[in-house]
Amino acid sequence: MNTPLTQAKIQIEKAIVTFENVIKIALKKGYGVACYRLPHQDRFKLMIDTREETHTCGEAIENLPSGFIFNPFENKNAKAAYYLQAHLEMVLGDEEVKANQAEYYPLRDEINQQLSTDNLPSDWQYHQLAGNEKSTMGNREDFIQLVEKGIQQIQDGKMEKFVPSKCKKMALEHFQLMDTLWKLSCKYPNAFVSFVSMSETGSWLGATPEILIHMDREKIFHTVALAGTQAYEENMDLKDVAWKQKEIEEQALVSRYIIGILKKLRIREFIENGPKTARAGNLIHLKTTFEIDTKAINFPDLGGVMIDLLHPTSAVCGMPLKESEQFLLAEEKHDRAFFSGYLGPINTDGESYAFVNLRCMQLLKNEAIFYAGAGATIDSNPEKEWQETEMKCNTLLSVLK
């Protein structure tokens, strides 16, 4: 029986197939692509940059055309971040690609014409970086040794907190991009779910819960302190979750870091809310939100200023920032690349977002590199930090199995 629910499911499946075919066509042409769904929303948006090479921002984010920013962990200047301009756009459910300027009409028509034929790409052709075979820290012994070495640095008074990470390579079998993104969207409704692929960056997929900056339509600036991790258990009442001192202090360090930046900018008019327990899929965290009315304090470019001051956050690096970053760059045996960098749509639909790139993987040919990190303090247990990274990897692995 063809019920309304069945009809709705068929429409969604058709829309996903259409969306996936457009992405395949764009990637085969060598275009840059960003496909994303904002937290708590039910639509995916696709941006396509038709240039052969995707250039850097080059200027403050407030002055950029509608597009998508993608920045690696080690870059601290947003003007040097990669930026994909939205020449062509599509929303899941649309039947055709749209162009935002007349000069892109021929490219729009070319994609739409190919979409209406049977001459569609059958295989995925992701952008891949040359020389991206990384040494990995996917084994337990190496990671635990790193944590133990960092704890010794804390005991010696050189750091308060650090965030070790690991990466591990796994084979991908029968992988379908939009099917994976759709599953992530359903399973993690409060995460930013995305796929981004450019010639200079390679191809990345993820579902991250952490906002770095958000400038809304009313010019209210938002940022978040998110730290401390536990596994979410079914029917758990978030109001009754008990947190240990290690996790409370870890989150407090991140909040104090944000407040310290605001003080340096002489901003006193902000709203702080939290910490509260927040769910992110199969995990829960401690979360504090900060809001600033940029019109009231006459600071229209606060988003661009804060994105540079906040990255890398203490939640992905540690405290003090300089010492923890130097320790990680010296001791981690892999290149973080875009893991713990940031990404998101800029000047799109009247808003700008940048999310910390957590819970992510880099797509290679028939395999992927998964990334995860864990905040460590003097009270940390190295084995438990390892288990935390395993839980975070499962964010993506759970929808691929």
Side-chain angles (χ1 to χ4, degrees):
M1 183 177 179
N2 202 1
T3 66
L5 185 61
T6 303
Q7 291 175 349
K9 184 179 179 181
I10 292 172
Q11 289 178 341
I12 290 172
E13 290 174 348
K14 287 178 62 178
I16 287 175
V17 170
T18 300
F19 218 63
E20 187 156 301
N21 284 331
V22 171
I23 297 173
K24 283 184 176 180
I25 293 168
L27 290 177
K28 188 172 183 180
K29 291 179 176 293
Y31 297 160
V33 168
C35 176
Y36 66 90
R37 190 229 61 188
L38 291 169
H40 306 294
Q41 292 195 7
D42 58 1
R43 69 168 191 168
F44 274 91
K45 187 163 188 175
L46 173 64
M47 294 178 173
I48 301 173
D49 189 322
T50 60
R51 295 172 294 179
E52 290 185 3
E53 292 187 355
T54 306
H55 303 293
T56 54
C57 293
E59 53 185 312
I61 62 172
E62 288 82 8
N63 301 325
L64 293 170
S66 177
F68 195 94
I69 196 168
F70 195 35
N71 193 48
F73 168 68
E74 290 192 45
N75 179 45
K76 297 178 175 60
N77 184 356
K79 292 182 180 180
Y82 293 100
Y83 197 69
L84 184 151
Q85 292 186 23
H87 298 155
L88 306 176
E89 295 181 288
M90 190 176 189
V91 174
L92 184 64
D94 290 351
E95 295 184 358
E96 293 186 336
V97 177
K98 298 177 176 63
N100 61 16
Q101 292 182 33
E103 62 182 296
Y104 304 117
Y105 288 175
L107 299 172
R108 173 204 63 187
D109 295 341
E110 185 180 347
I111 290 179
N112 287 332
Q113 183 177 3
Q114 186 173 351
L115 193 61
S116 64
T117 70
D118 294 328
N119 185 28
L120 295 168
S122 57
D123 298 323
W124 285 103
Q125 298 186 9
Y126 300 116
H127 287 301
Q128 295 193 42
L129 294 175
N132 59 0
E133 292 293 322
K134 297 178 171 63
S135 61
T136 64
M137 189 174 285
N139 70 75
R140 174 179 168 277
E141 291 74 21
D142 283 349
F143 184 84
I144 286 178
Q145 286 180 11
L146 174 65
V147 176
E148 290 173 341
K149 187 176 290 188
I151 292 174
Q152 184 61 55
Q153 294 278 303
I154 296 175
Q155 292 172 344
D156 293 342
K158 297 178 181 179
M159 294 188 296
E160 295 177 66
K161 168 192 171 182
F162 67 107
V163 186
S165 70
K166 73 175 184 186
C167 64
K168 61 181 182 180
K169 188 181 293 183
M170 294 187 66
L172 290 180
E173 297 180 3
H174 312 297
F175 176 77
Q176 291 296 319
L177 177 62
M178 280 307 301
D179 180 62
T180 302
L181 290 175
W182 183 259
K183 287 178 180 177
L184 282 170
S185 179
C186 294
K187 192 165 186 177
Y188 306 111
N190 61 342
F192 177 71
V193 177
S194 65
F195 166 75
V196 57
S197 183
M198 308 183 203
S199 58
E200 300 96 331
T201 67
S203 302
W204 294 73
L205 182 150
T208 175
E210 185 169 351
I211 290 176
L212 182 66
I213 65 121
H214 171 210
M215 189 69 75
D216 67 21
R217 293 179 180 85
E218 304 302 319
K219 304 305 177 185
I220 305 296
F221 171 86
H222 307 258
T223 191
V224 169
L226 190 74
T229 302
Q230 292 187 44
Y232 174 78
E233 298 176 5
E234 193 172 353
N235 300 321
M236 177 183 282
D237 189 338
L238 298 186
K239 298 191 294 296
D240 297 332
V241 173
W243 292 93
K244 295 180 180 178
Q245 184 60 36
K246 178 259 180 186
E247 294 147 339
I248 294 171
E249 180 59 25
E250 182 185 344
Q251 203 277 337
L253 285 170
V254 180
S255 292
R256 289 201 294 268
Y257 178 70
I258 293 173
I259 292 172
I261 289 176
L262 297 178
K263 286 182 178 179
K264 287 181 182 179
L265 295 175
R266 299 182 180 179
I267 295 175
R268 297 178 178 84
E269 302 83 359
F270 62 88
I271 299 172
E272 180 182 359
N273 188 3
K276 295 181 179 179
T277 301
R279 181 183 174 188
N282 61 332
L283 304 175
I284 55 174
H285 307 280
L286 281 169
K287 177 180 179 180
T288 300
T289 61
F290 297 86
E291 296 182 9
I292 302 167
D293 187 338
T294 63
K295 290 188 292 187
I297 65 171
N298 193 26
F299 205 149
D301 57 346
L302 179 62
V305 172
M306 288 293 287
I307 202 170
D308 283 344
L309 291 175
L310 287 172
H311 174 71
T313 70
S314 58
V316 300
C317 206
M319 290 286 289
L321 182 60
K322 181 179 178 181
E323 287 75 8
S324 60
E325 183 180 22
Q326 288 177 343
F327 171 78
L328 294 170
L329 291 174
E331 300 296 337
E332 287 187 341
K333 296 181 180 179
H334 60 279
D335 177 10
R336 288 194 178 194
F338 290 86
F339 166 68
S340 64
Y342 58 80
L343 74 173
I346 301 295
N347 298 328
T348 301
D349 300 325
E351 299 188 272
S352 291
Y353 289 88
F355 294 84
V356 183
N357 194 23
L358 308 173
R359 322 288 198 272
C360 64
M361 66 182 188
Q362 182 181 6
L363 292 168
L364 307 176
K365 186 176 181 179
N366 300 321
E367 57 187 1
I369 301 174
F370 292 80
Y371 295 78
T377 69
I378 197 168
D379 298 317
S380 288
N381 178 311
E383 176 63 35
K384 289 185 177 179
E385 302 304 342
W386 166 260
Q387 292 171 2
E388 181 175 324
T389 62
E390 288 290 283
M391 285 193 300
K392 288 175 176 175
C393 282
N394 284 337
T395 298
L396 298 179
L397 284 170
S398 63
V399 302
L400 294 175
K401 295 177 179 177

